[in-house]
Amino acid sequence: MSSATKQLTKAARIILVGAPGVGKGTQTERLLTRFPQLASISSGDILRDNVRRKTPLGLKAEAVMQSGNLVPDSMMLDLISSEFKSKGWLSNTPPSSQRTTPISPNASFILDGFPRTVAQAGSLDKIVPVNFVVHLLTPPSVILSRIGSRWVHEPSGRVYNTGFNAPKAPGKDDVTGEPLTQRQDDSIDTWKQRLQKFEETSKDLLEHYGRQGCLWRVEGDSSDEISPKLFAEIERKFC
Ligand code: AMP
């Protein structure tokens, strides 16, 4: 796989849909390196940041996240809207009209972990014209077998796996050298519950995007297997 960066010639507004642990974070990070015009928004990272900072939203979300359930849609939408606004992609209009304000056509981005439900997708359709939905597929047995080796650099969201995507120095982030941690919500039971929840909620979500004609499936047992296929498809569509 070539490490050269690529220029997007069309705005790419990408969503990654995939079971927790499928490598959405890893793919996002690789896409950002490959396509420097892309920005990333990870709903899980934003939530964990709110939990760490003990914001009102974080305090509400913490118990839900630890139980492996989904945070309520309204809370997620507020979170994503304010993230779009902070990046200048959505103007600060009054609450009554903000959900129909079109997003800047020049914004190319990748959403990681949002939307997870049809209700969230419907709300997102009104504020952002998403044009590429990637369904990342890895068998659940493969995902469960690699959880224990998953390490995260919390400030950046960079994800490592000591099995196949190890940090250069053990326990240290490649970029900053700061310590890596295992996420508090990384217990096996929580993961089983998350995988089940994903199966329940993703079917309708994928059908929603299938109907819109922007859904694309990619399969692999590891991120390294998936990345080259994903790069090739984005280059075909947007470069
Ligand atoms: P993630 O890092 O994407 O696996 O997210 C971690 C946890 O944050 C999930 O298990 C949910 O509790 C919560 N979460 C993240 N994104 C969403 C979303 N789009 N809708 C609801 N809950 C979410």
Side-chain angles (χ1 to χ4, degrees), residues 106-119:
N106 296 324
S108 277
F109 57 82
I110 174 162
L111 290 182
D112 173 1
F114 181 90
R116 271 198 179 51
T117 64
V118 173

Side-chain angles (χ1 to χ4, degrees), residues 52 150-155 158 160 171-172 178-184 186:
R52 248 194 320 271
R150 181 178 156 110
W151 292 81
V152 181
H153 177 243
E154 294 236 4
R158 277 185 285 278
Y160 299 88
K172 300 270 167 62
E178 289 167 352
L180 302 176
T181 51
Q182 288 202 298
R183 280 169 21 181
Q184 281 181 3
D186 268 0

Side-chain angles (χ1 to χ4, degrees), residues 2-211:
S2 149
S3 60
T5 60
K6 296 278 175 176
Q7 192 81 10
L8 301 170
T9 55
K10 293 176 212 142
R13 293 178 286 260
I14 302 170
I15 297 175
L16 296 184
V17 182
V22 81
K24 298 189 297 289
T26 301
Q27 296 302 344
T28 300
E29 190 193 319
R30 291 178 181 178
L31 288 171
L32 297 184
T33 306
R34 178 76 160 190
F35 306 100
Q37 290 150 292
L38 283 175
S40 150
I41 296 179
S42 156
S43 53
D45 286 348
I46 299 172
L47 281 166
R48 278 185 290 278
D49 181 55
N50 277 269
V51 170
R52 248 194 320 271
R53 290 188 291 117
K54 299 196 189 305
T55 65
L57 192 143
L59 293 173
K60 279 192 214 152
E62 186 169 20
V64 181
M65 290 170 73
Q66 278 178 357
S67 70
N69 287 313
L70 292 181
V71 170
D73 288 346
S74 59
M75 210 190 276
M76 290 309 305
L77 200 70
D78 286 347
L79 199 92
I80 294 293
S81 300
S82 61
E83 193 70 14
F84 281 163
K85 279 180 202 151
S86 75
K87 289 189 164 14
W89 297 339
L90 202 58
S91 60
N92 263 314
T93 47
S96 59
S97 58
Q98 76 186 23
R99 289 188 184 161
T100 54
T101 307
I103 201 154
S104 158
N106 296 324
S108 277
F109 57 82
I110 174 162
L111 290 182
D112 173 1
F114 181 90
R116 271 198 179 51
T117 64
V118 173
Q120 289 179 2
S123 306
L124 185 64
D125 289 343
K126 294 184 191 138
I127 59 169
V128 54
V130 167
N131 54 12
F132 188 43
V133 177
V134 180
H135 184 193
L136 299 167
L137 286 147
T138 297
S141 57
V142 175
I143 293 174
L144 284 171
S145 71
R146 65 190 193 203
I147 287 163
S149 38
R150 181 178 156 110
W151 292 81
V152 181
H153 177 243
E154 294 236 4
S156 67
R158 277 185 285 278
V159 179
Y160 299 88
N161 187 295
T162 49
F164 54 84
N165 178 31
K168 288 177 191 142
K172 300 270 167 62
D173 177 50
D174 285 356
V175 177
T176 63
E178 289 167 352
L180 302 176
T181 51
Q182 288 202 298
R183 280 169 21 181
Q184 281 181 3
D185 50 0
D186 268 0
S187 83
I188 279 276
D189 283 347
T190 301
W191 276 84
K192 281 190 176 153
Q193 198 170 356
R194 286 167 156 196
L195 290 177
Q196 194 189 338
K197 196 89 194 168
F198 175 76
E199 288 306 318
E200 284 166 24
T201 54
S202 63
K203 192 170 160 285
D204 292 348
L205 184 67
L206 294 166
E207 280 170 13
H208 174 92
Y209 288 120
R211 278 193 296 276

